[in-house]
Structures are given as C-alpha cells and as structure tokens.
Amino acid sequence: MPDEFASLALESEVRSYCRAWPTVFVRARGSRLEDQDARSYLDFFAGAGALNYGHNHPVLKAAVREYLDADGVVHSLDMATAAKADLLAAFDRHVLRPRHLDYRVQFPGPTGTNSVEAALKLARKVTGRTGVVAFTHAFHGMTLGALAVTGSAAKRAGAGVPLGHTYRIPYDGFGGDGVQGLALLDALIESGSSGVDLPAAVIVETVQGEGGVNVARAEWLAELSGLCRRRGILLIVDDVQMGCGRTGPFFSFEAAGITPDIVCLSKSISGYGLPMALTLFRPELDVWSPGEHNGTFRGNNLAFVTAAAALRTFWADSTLEKETARKGETVALRLEEIAARHAGEGAVSRGRGLVHGLSFRDPALAGRVGREAFTRGLLVETAGARDEVVKLLPPLTVSDDELSEGLALLEESVDAVLASRDHARTA
C-alpha cells in the first residue's frame, strides 16, 4: 500500500470507494485519473455522475481561475451575487425557455439529498398532507427524509429511527410483467378502506441508478404523471444523477413528454464536481416563507460560475444530447454482446443514454468484475439491491476511442473473472 494510506487510516470506517480502488489519486483530466505511481485509469464512474463533462474541463477551469483572480465572492449564503445572477440567466436561457418550462429555482444546499429534503418539505407544506409515495429500489439520499423514501434496507438501517410517512409501490418492471404498481396505487387511493390516505407527492427516478440501473418506460412515466394530475398529487422527479444530460436530454423526463411539479438536481449541475443543488417547482408552489428552508453552503459561487460556463458550453445547442444518444447506442450494443455470450450466467444489460448496467445472477460476480477492471485500469462501481450490477457512468465527453477502450477492458474483466472461477471449480 502507498505510504499515504497510513495517514488515511485516520478516516472513519464508513469510507467505501477507497477500499474498492486501493491507490492514491493525484491528478485528473477528461476521462482519466492518475495515481501517485503515474498509472492512468479510465474513469467510467465520473464521480457517481457528478462529472458529466469530465475532470477539469479546460473551459470550466478557466472560468474558476478568472473568477478567483478577480477576487469574486466565494461564499454568500443566499445573498445576491453577480455569479448567481449569471447562473440564473444562463439556466433560464439554455434550459428552461427552450423546453417551455416555468419553474422557480431554489438553492436548497450543496447536495442532492438537500434538494430532495426541500422537495418533500415543500410538497407537504403545499398540500397539507404528510404521506409520500416512493418506489421499490429507489435511492434519494442519506438524510432522514430522503432515507424514508429510499428502498435500500442497508441504507435505511443507518437512520437509527423509524422512517415513516411513505407508501412503497412497485417500480416499473419490479416483480415481473404481472405486477402493476400504478394500478395498485390508483386502487388504494380510490378505495375508502385501503388505509392509504391521499398522499402529498410521488417521488420517482426515471432511471434508478443506485437501485441497479432500472429503466422506467416512457409510457409508464406518462401513466404516473397522469395519475398524479388526476388525483391532485404532486409529482417529484429526482434527477440528481440522471439529469444534466446523463440519459441524453438535459432532463431525463423529457423523453416521456411529462412536466413534473418539482424537480431535484445536483451532482453535475455545477459541471465541475463542485457541491451544488437546485430544487425546481411550479411558481404557484412557491409558498416558502423567507428562510424557512436554508443552509450555510447554499451559495457556492464557484459552483455557480462553473455551472453557468457548462450551460453555455454544452447546452446552447443539441450537440451533446445527440452525441450522448449515439455513444449510448455503442455502449448498449457492446453490453448486449457481452450479455449474450454469458447468458448462462444470467447476464443482462440495460440502460439509457450514457448510464448502463450489466447484471449477473450471482451477485458476487459484479464485484469481482469491478475489482478485475481496476487492475486493468478501468474504474466502475456496482449497484443494485445485492450489488449484482456493474454500473457504467462514463463522462458524456468521453471520446469514441476511450469508450471503445473502456468497453474492451470491461469485456476482458468479465472473461477473466468467469475463466478464473471455472478454473477454480475444476481444480
């Protein structure tokens, strides 16, 4: 182990990614990280989706340098600053107006779970109701409100207190084709004796990343939106990981033709990996009193600067969206080939845009593939209820050559793990 690991031992046992990737990283650019031994790693993790435009993009880095050199305001809570005004103007011009979306913008705090907490609180305040519908395999964050609507038993166990006011409904595809979660929800609400009160909101991910790269069909999302509208329930889309172009369009719900009442954004909204989150909602839902939801670090001006630069660089036209769709097709085809070759292992591929997963019947295989990939210079994580899915989140700016290289390394890793296991069985 590198010497630096001696000092890192001061860190809590809660650390996780440094266990999967036991090296000390020192620099990063584009789609690659480099460790202290000058070994290069192709990054198909991208900060868990916080680095959609790669590491240290030169345009965004230049914007940070220029702002700091001018002694720009860095910390401001929710004071008015030139950086915040510039961001809001860029967001309106490049995101909201082209999509004909009329949303108020709230800065709830620096992380995705802050955005979710604000969304849940606002929905309850607006409706005067307390229950929220959430889905199987959902992940919405690690604070108590977000944990209550998260599905993972392991994550929920860390709360230490009861997590309530949530109705759990099957996600699209959960339990097989015979399970109709939305029909069940509608029937529970319709019945006068189901024991389910009319909820304040439904919160949903269009693609469940942490839950195993589970992709909701556009027609299912449209049906959910219609149900919410018909029943007077607010629809919250958690786009923390799948927004900012991860599935192709800026918002992951665009393909379904729906307009949520509330949207949660974080991760790649800053464009540079800097902490930032937004909660968007229809103007008539803006019933907050001043300071009713706040946070010390909701005014991260460096993040505002890089976010505005990212919006102008990548979202002034449809180039990135089209390129993400094209690259996504490349990934899908290659993973389908790998899955077909290993159909006997129950291998299945799924995804949308540039988020994809390769799952195995034996959940241990995904972790072994991830570790093997690391030894070959590829960073990937696992997802799913049993960590049975190898999850791919390359930067949207990944080159075609890098994409081919990463997919080849993944295929080699799968083959090596299965060959090693088969050899052990016959030895």
Side-chain angles (χ1 to χ4, degrees):
M1 290 290 180
D3 293 341
E4 281 78 357
F5 270 90
S7 59
L8 292 176
L10 288 171
E11 189 178 358
S12 164
E13 291 298 320
V14 78
R15 64 192 187 276
S16 60
Y17 288 115
C18 59
R19 299 179 191 274
W21 303 323
T23 192
V24 177
F25 297 105
V26 295
R27 61 182 57 86
R29 184 170 186 175
S31 301
R32 296 186 186 274
L33 284 153
E34 185 178 305
D35 70 10
Q36 64 176 8
D37 297 320
R39 184 177 183 191
S40 177
Y41 295 83
L42 192 54
D43 186 3
F44 275 27
F45 171 65
L51 294 164
N52 280 5
Y53 315 119
H55 296 272
N56 287 308
H57 191 281
V59 172
L60 309 188
K61 182 164 63 174
V64 169
R65 284 176 166 169
E66 181 180 354
Y67 187 77
L68 290 175
D69 285 345
D71 291 329
V73 176
V74 173
H75 180 274
S76 63
L77 289 91
D78 67 354
M79 293 183 288
T81 65
K84 182 164 71 171
D86 187 49
L87 165 62
L88 289 170
F91 192 74
D92 185 44
R93 179 177 180 180
H94 297 299
V95 177
L96 296 182
R97 277 192 280 166
R99 293 161 181 80
H100 307 289
L101 294 172
D102 186 14
Y103 285 138
R104 290 286 174 84
V105 179
Q106 179 181 353
F107 297 89
T111 71
T113 198
N114 294 121
S115 180
V116 170
E117 294 286 354
L120 296 175
K121 287 170 65 175
L122 183 62
R124 287 170 170 140
K125 180 178 174 67
V126 167
T127 64
R129 304 190 291 265
T130 59
V132 174
V133 174
F135 292 94
T136 51
H137 291 311
F139 179 78
H140 296 290
M142 299 297 283
T143 50
L144 290 180
L147 270 181
V149 291
T150 288
S152 167
K155 301 288 194 301
R156 290 169 62 87
V161 297
L163 299 171
H165 302 291
T166 302
Y167 308 122
R168 190 73 54 184
I169 296 296
Y171 190 73
D172 190 22
F174 180 86
D177 294 337
V179 178
Q180 302 296 325
L182 299 186
L184 171 62
L185 174 61
D186 203 29
L188 288 170
I189 295 171
E190 177 70 23
S191 173
S193 59
S194 68
V196 174
D197 297 325
L198 185 65
V202 172
I203 185 167
V204 67
E205 304 154 275
T206 66
V207 179
Q208 295 181 325
E210 180 73 15
V213 193
N214 306 311
V215 181
R217 294 168 295 130
E219 54 267 33
W220 185 87
L221 291 167
E223 182 183 352
L224 173 61
S225 177
L227 187 159
C228 289
R229 186 170 57 253
R230 189 171 65 252
R231 295 293 184 182
I233 304 167
L234 297 179
L235 177 60
I236 304 169
V237 169
D238 179 345
D239 237 2
V240 167
Q241 187 171 81
M242 297 304 149
C244 304
R246 175 52 59 182
T247 67
F250 186 86
F251 294 110
S252 71
F253 56 79
E254 292 181 51
I258 65 174
T259 302
D261 299 293
I262 305 175
V263 181
C264 301
L265 289 175
S266 187
K267 290 193 182 285
S268 277
I269 187 60
S270 81
Y272 203 65
L274 297 174
M276 177 181 163
L278 301 177
T279 306
L280 315 177
F281 39 82
R282 293 189 286 109
E284 58 269 32
L285 303 181
D286 194 4
V287 298
W288 291 117
S289 299
E292 188 174 3
H293 184 93
N294 58 43
T296 303
F297 294 103
R298 64 194 185 277
N300 183 353
N301 285 260
L302 287 183
F304 297 167
V305 168
T306 55
L311 293 174
R312 294 188 178 103
T313 302
F314 296 106
W315 295 102
D317 58 32
S318 61
T319 300
L320 181 67
E321 178 178 347
K322 292 175 180 177
E323 280 293 285
T324 298
R326 181 184 65 80
K327 293 171 185 176
E329 290 175 1
T330 298
V331 177
L333 288 172
R334 189 66 174 272
L335 291 187
E336 287 168 7
E337 292 172 357
I338 296 173
R341 286 203 301 112
H342 300 293
E345 301 294 339
V348 176
S349 67
R350 52 182 177 264
R352 177 184 294 160
L354 277 175
V355 52
H356 285 265
L358 182 65
S359 67
F360 298 92
R361 184 187 305 111
D362 178 1
L365 288 178
R368 292 173 190 163
V369 169
R371 290 188 291 274
E372 181 66 27
F374 173 74
T375 68
R376 295 169 183 265
L378 175 68
L379 303 182
V380 292
E381 70 168 334
T382 58
R386 300 178 297 162
D387 281 325
E388 74 279 9
V389 181
V390 179
K391 180 180 175 186
L392 307 184
L393 285 172
L396 307 184
T397 53
V398 65
S399 71
D400 288 346
D401 286 345
E402 290 169 333
L403 198 59
S404 296
E405 178 187 349
L407 292 170
L409 290 172
L410 176 66
E411 185 169 14
E412 292 170 10
S413 300
V414 172
D415 291 345
V417 166
L418 293 176
S420 175
R421 185 206 57 186
D422 293 343
H423 178 74
R425 285 177 174 176
T426 58

